[in-house]
């Protein structure tokens, strides 16, 4: 036998409907925040080359307070942890400047094995390269002399090392002590610039917009649960 819930007044009916709207609203924004986060994480994985899961896992969301009393209080948030703040510049585009005032270290395509979609090879990362490149001041030679460059190139070729010339770090592959080209080398890291312009590569806005298209569907599902 079906049970019929009787209301004492229209005021009670309105309050019951409002309670359901609030509850459904909370469920809706929570779902939208979760979907937005998932979309954003997928965008990062598809658009960017990351070394690990740190950046992806830095996209987080906060659920709505379940005890809100009015529709205007309903909100959930999706955002980025401060430690991954560098992703904000990718979202909007803009000028990237080295924090220390030194020049930026920009990997070349060669450092990514010929494809910018690839990660920088571990061997070519500056933290590993810096202990294996030869300055142009060796054996007492002046730092800018041709003789110092020849010596640095010789040692670099012998040890699979690197030389820094005009703030470009080269991996030396062949050394020719006399005649023709002095050495054969491949540019690995560009350290010429204190700043560089990054074009925008939106990953958050498209994630939110895609989720927003589901708003009505999710709200209807939440209301159905309350019937």
């Amino acid at each position: 036998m079906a049970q019929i819930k009787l209301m004492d007044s229209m005021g009670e009916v309105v309050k019951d409907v409002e309670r359901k709207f609030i509850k459904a609203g909370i469920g809706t924004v929570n779902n939208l925040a979760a979907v937005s986060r998932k979309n954003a994480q997928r965008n990062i994985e598809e658009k960017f080359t990351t070394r690990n899961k740190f950046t992806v896992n830095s996209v987080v969301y906060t659920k709505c307070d379940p005890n809100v009393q009015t529709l205007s209080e309903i909100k959930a948030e999706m955002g980025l942890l401060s430690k991954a703040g560098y992703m904000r510049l990718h979202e909007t585009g803009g000028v990237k400047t080295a924090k220390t005032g030194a020049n930026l270290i920009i990997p070349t395509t060669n450092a990514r094995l010929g494809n910018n979609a690839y990660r920088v090879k571990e061997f070519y990362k500056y933290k590993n390269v810096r202990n294996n490149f030869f300055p142009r001041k060796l054996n007492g030679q002046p730092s800018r002399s041709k003789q110092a460059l020849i010596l640095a190139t010789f040692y670099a070729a012998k040890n699979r090392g690197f030389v820094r010339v005009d703030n470009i770090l080269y991996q030396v592959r062949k050394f020719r002590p006399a005649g023709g080209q002095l050495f054969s080398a491949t540019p690995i890291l560009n350290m010429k610039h204190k700043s560089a312009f990054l074009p925008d590569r939106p990953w958050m806005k498209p994630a939110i917009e895609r989720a927003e298209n589901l708003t009505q569907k999710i709200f209807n599902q939440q209301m159905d649960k309350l019937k």
Side-chain angles (χ1 to χ4, degrees):
M1 181 179 294
Q3 293 183 344
I4 300 174
K5 183 178 179 181
L6 298 177
M7 298 294 182
D8 295 332
S9 66
M10 277 303 296
E12 241 182 285
V13 174
V14 172
K15 286 181 181 179
D16 185 66
V17 171
E18 187 176 8
R19 281 194 295 268
K20 288 181 178 179
F21 265 70
I22 290 174
K23 193 166 184 179
I26 292 172
T28 299
V29 296
N30 287 343
N31 273 272
L32 289 176
V35 172
S36 296
R37 175 179 183 261
K38 186 176 181 179
N39 291 343
Q41 290 177 323
R42 186 185 300 115
N43 289 344
I44 289 174
E45 291 176 333
E46 292 177 353
K47 291 186 175 185
F48 300 91
T49 302
T50 56
R51 289 176 291 177
N52 49 49
K53 290 291 184 179
F54 173 79
T55 301
V56 170
N57 292 339
S58 294
V59 182
V60 295
Y61 77 98
T62 304
K63 291 184 177 182
C64 179
D65 179 354
N67 299 313
V68 296
Q69 299 298 313
T70 64
L71 292 172
S72 61
E73 294 178 281
I74 298 175
K75 67 175 181 178
E77 297 178 339
M78 188 274 286
L80 193 68
L81 295 177
S82 59
K83 290 184 178 180
Y86 50 85
M87 290 302 295
R88 294 189 180 92
L89 188 58
H90 287 294
E91 176 76 15
T92 61
V95 177
K96 179 179 180 179
T97 304
K99 293 180 180 179
T100 60
N103 291 1
L104 293 170
I105 299 172
I106 305 173
T108 66
T109 303
N110 297 314
R112 300 179 184 274
L113 302 182
N115 190 328
N116 285 328
Y118 294 165
R119 298 176 182 176
V120 176
K121 187 178 179 182
E122 192 69 25
F123 180 69
Y124 292 142
K125 291 179 181 178
Y126 185 72
K127 65 179 181 179
N128 298 321
V129 170
R130 64 185 176 187
N131 295 320
N132 196 26
F133 78 83
F134 296 86
R136 290 189 291 172
K137 186 176 182 180
L138 290 170
N139 296 348
Q141 295 291 333
S143 60
R144 294 183 179 276
S145 72
K146 182 177 180 180
Q147 183 63 26
L149 177 58
I150 292 173
L151 287 171
T153 304
F154 170 76
Y155 284 114
K158 188 177 180 181
N159 296 280
R160 292 188 66 217
F162 305 81
V163 290
R164 182 171 179 171
V165 181
D166 296 329
N167 281 330
I168 299 289
L169 204 65
Y170 295 87
Q171 182 178 28
V172 181
R173 301 189 179 281
K174 293 181 181 179
F175 175 75
R176 297 172 183 171
Q181 185 178 347
L182 178 60
F183 60 85
S184 174
T186 302
I188 300 299
L189 299 175
N190 183 334
M191 297 180 285
K192 283 189 172 185
H193 310 289
K194 292 187 179 296
S195 62
F197 179 79
L198 293 182
D200 63 304
R201 299 170 69 185
W203 54 272
M204 181 178 285
K205 184 178 179 181
I208 296 172
E209 290 175 342
R210 197 183 314 156
E212 286 177 340
N213 292 331
L214 301 173
T215 301
Q216 189 63 58
K217 179 181 178 180
I218 294 175
F219 181 77
N220 292 343
Q221 291 172 343
Q222 294 297 312
M223 285 297 291
D224 288 341
K225 293 179 181 179
L226 300 175
K227 288 181 178 179

